[in-house]
Every structure is written in structure tokens, then in C-alpha cells.
Amino acid sequence: MAERRKTTIHRSARSSARKTTIRKATPARRKSSPGKASPKRWSQRVTRESDALDLKQGVFKLTSARKIAASLKRSAERSSRRKAGAYRSALSMLTFYINRAGKTLPKTQRDRLQRAKTELKRQFGRG
């Protein structure tokens, strides 16, 4: 029995030593190097280089909800790389832009983009 106790103590001592070693070996988190693209801009890259749609430059900055919807519809219908239907792709891109802009999107533009959703639905004959 004395041997068992000795082995048990030895095992627990070995596992605590392992934990200490693992903690010491874990590298600290580093900020990305200055030469690489900022990880915060991934959503900008998605809207610019999307595989689903080739968007017109500044489509979300247009002054009319009808123009925004028409441009998105045109882009979605011309795209041969999209996986879903044209309506779904266009609406997804619009929703993605609204969600990623977050609190930085001015209320007037947010309202215009929300109206563009309704207009998009109308232009595709879905309501």
C-alpha cells in the first residue's frame, strides 16, 4: 500500500509540473504586423470582392432607395457566380452592409437602405 500512495503523489506532482510548463510555453497574443491588411476591414473586402455579386461602385451611397434596389437587382441578375437566387443574393448583400455598418451608419442612410429592401422586394415581384 505504501507503494501505491507514493505513485499517486508522483502522478499529481507530474501533472502540476506539466501545467506550469504549458503556461510558460504559450506565446502572448500579438497585434498583426503593420504590413498586413487590417482584420477590421474584412467586411469592406466582402462587399468589394464578393463571389456572389459584382457591385457597382458606391451602390449603397446612392440617393434613392429605388436606385439602390435597381442596381442590386441588376448586379444579382447578371452574376453567374451566385449560389442562391438573384433576389436572395441582392437582399443578403444589402442586409450584410446594413448590419456591418452598425452604429456608424447615419440614420438617414439607414432609413434609405431599409426602404431599399422594400423596393427590392417590389422590383422582384415578391410583395
Side-chain angles (χ1 to χ4, degrees), residues 4-18:
R4 263 192 196 163
R5 189 177 288 162
K6 198 177 197 179
T7 307
T8 307
I9 294 168
H10 179 63
R11 280 185 187 161
S12 64
R14 189 173 48 186
S15 65
S16 65
R18 242 188 241 154

Side-chain angles (χ1 to χ4, degrees), residues 12-15 23 26 31-33 42 52 55 62 70 74 76 92 94 97 100 105 113 119 126:
S12 64
R14 189 173 48 186
S15 65
R23 284 186 190 133
T26 306
K31 293 182 180 178
S32 62
S33 61
W42 68 269
L55 297 174
L62 293 172
R74 193 177 317 112
S92 292
L94 182 55
Y97 183 82
R100 294 310 304 168
L105 194 63
L113 293 171
E119 183 61 32
R126 295 195 176 211

Side-chain angles (χ1 to χ4, degrees), residues 43 96-105 110 113:
S43 59
F96 174 79
Y97 183 82
I98 293 169
N99 290 344
R100 294 310 304 168
K103 294 176 182 175
T104 62
L105 194 63
R110 180 181 297 279
L113 293 171

Side-chain angles (χ1 to χ4, degrees), residues 61-94:
K61 304 269 192 252
L62 293 172
T63 55
S64 160
R66 182 170 285 148
K67 288 179 183 178
I68 294 169
S71 180
L72 284 169
K73 181 180 181 195
R74 193 177 317 112
S75 296
E77 288 175 338
R78 289 180 180 174
S79 176
S80 58
R81 296 174 296 172
R82 62 182 157 76
K83 295 175 185 169
Y87 171 70
R88 186 169 165 193
S89 293
L91 189 63
S92 292
M93 189 56 79
L94 182 55

